Amino acid sequence: METTVIGYPRIGNLRELKFASEKYFRNEISAAELEKTAREIRAYNLELQKKSGLDIIPSNDFSYYDGVLDTAFMLNAVPARYTELGLSELDIYFAAARGYQGTKGDVKALAMKKWFNTNYHYMVPEVDDETEIRLVGKKPTDLFREALEKGIRTKPVIIGAYTFLKLARYKGEKTAADFIDQTAAAYSELLDRFNGLGADWIQFDEPSLVMDMTSDDVKIFESLYEEILSSKGSVRVLLQTYFGDVRDCYKEICKLGFDGIGLDFVEGKKTLELVKENGFPDDKTLFAGVVNGKNIWRNNYASTLLILDELKKHSSQIVLNTSCSLLHVPCSLANETLLSESCRKHFAFAEEKLSEIEELRQILEAEYPLVTEAYRRNSALHSEPRSGRNDSVREKVSSLTEKDFVRLPEFAEREKIQKARFNLPLFPTTTIGSFPQTAEVKAARKALRTGEMSSDDYEKFIKEKIAECVTQQEGIGLDVLVHGEFERNDMVEYFGECLDGYIFTEKAWVQSYGTRCVKPPVIWGDISRARPMTVKWSVYAQSLTNKPMKGMLTGPVTILNWSFPREDISLKESALQIALAIREEVLDLEANGIGIIQVDEAALREKLPLRRSDWREDYLDWAIPAFRYVHSGVKAETQIHTHMCYSEFADIIRDIDNMDADVITFEASRSDLTILDVLKENNFRTEVGPGVYDIHSPRIPSKEEIIAAIRKMKERIPAEKLWINPDCGLKTRGNAETVPSLINLVNAAKEVRNENC
Ligand code: GLN
Ligand code: ZN
């Protein structure tokens, strides 16, 4: 039995790519030096995968920023505003990824969106009526050659034609269907090139197949691949799906001329059923995604063998595979020096998953699989009782009733009471919470960690930063202030550290977008609040100003979604346990005089099931109540804000209103403000702050630009419900761009306010 993986993390074992790229952005190293780091990462990954015994090793899973962006560049789908800048190829690429502001021009980045149900973000390709899709990029073939020179005949990984066309944003009259011929021709040419290079397998990633598909979608898919596969030569084509099952097109894909089909047996609720009911074509290889590419727990070999036993009845050619790219898990447990052995043995990161795949192969090939050493060790691990149980939390969760999820009085009455209490001007200005996490702040946290700074000195330092931040905001003229979140490494990890039931890693970074990585904490046991988490900072910050100071928390759904979740209890149970803890903090803040409390649900939409039919039952039916429970106990005059890091909630707009927050801020600037119409049509009740500028880019928005955005907002949203703020936290930005941006924001708000009065 052969083995493979869908893709390997590309940021480098110790985030080498991130650091090199950031140096490149700051002009500290040359393009050649950045390229050298990239080559070293690829060589390291290839070597590691080879050493682990993997038969089919991926290539082109490397990217300087994002794989979808790479595909757009490969296919000539790059808006002219970037190519016209007259920059080097690499810098045009980074301009599309990050925006560009300099001597050659001033352009915003492409839009960025969550990659299916993960916390990875891809760049949204833009296609207009003039776009001519054709194969122009050489990266896939270059990287194939690079590996070949090292003696490894890799499996190039390419975002598939259908997924590319589905993810692209169409700016003109034309739609995906109008680009079928061009796209198919480009992919056919790519196959030709790989034939010429002697590739054995090529993998087309088509995660869009696990979404709800209409019959037109299926037709587009068929048209594309009938054409692409019609002259494919000797290279074997693998259709790789992941993040779910392909129930809407299973029969159709089985009929097409693929040589292999990759299916996800971890997240695909119906995948096994599909194979059992319809069989699997004899002429194809089944790439069985049985090792979870998204979570960090050790595979349960007993359950995996059951799946494989079943599959063997339907296919004689099976390749062992991960369920999705390992991009979504950290690189290696070897980087963790502080984990206790009792925890560590339950984990498998990317590198360890390679060994799991190899072990599974050996078990399957053994004459008596169940008595192999590897199998026995694994089943002992899975039958061991785990620490971290908390019966009182479990009881509290099970005794919650309907009324625990309802805040009284109702929204409209609270709105009146709060307007009277805070007496804010029209279009109140605020920020989302964090202020720039400068090198100084990071250094202090590091010094605290290593013991070079005492906790008293650290506390003093953070308080100084808070004081500076308050003065800064008062100077800028913002209406509702924040303390700046300097004490936080990360909006989830920080809370995890104050909660019982969590454990942490040191270097377990996962790419979130571009050079940005996150280090999700691990939910190990039942969750409870060990101590107040933010009260001290918020109370101190409030003591420095007469303006309202927002308390700043992360909500239960986001904490859960940005952690590695348990697999032994349900997500709902975990969410409610966390909600219990955050609610205690909310009430604590309120009791300590904090009048406005923001509970960020940045990631609420992230784990929305990909198929609409699963939305309520599998997710919203517990996620929205978990949020409501967090704030249902506060007084009418306490204003609850929430924040979301995206604006695609048109389809769950009612649910979002139903979270019953008083104010919601969200990203809007990158998505052309289209959400505003939806808010209007739905009579959105919650007050809103659709971000007026994009903080993901270092460019400074002009006052005029912000005024234009506010005017647009004002046309759709009642003035008395409109807040003015950036579209997300400022922690990744520098002060150099933050201060002028916020000054422009405040001045823009004032100007529109004056027009209105
Ligand atoms: N309050 C958080 C911050 O400003 C929110 C971050 C986020 O939405 N990702 O950093
Ligand atoms: Zn955000």
Side-chain angles (χ1 to χ4, degrees), residues 280-285 314-317:
F280 189 83
D282 291 338
D283 61 340
K284 301 191 197 324
T285 304
H314 303 278
S315 171
S316 55
Q317 306 160 56

Side-chain angles (χ1 to χ4, degrees), residues 432 491 562 600-603 643-646 665-667 695-696 727-729:
I432 306 303
M491 65 186 285
W562 283 351
D600 291 327
E601 280 296 11
H643 165 73
M644 289 177 189
C645 280
Y646 48 84
T665 57
F666 55 89
E667 181 205 302
I695 62 89
H696 302 89
D727 71 352
C728 195

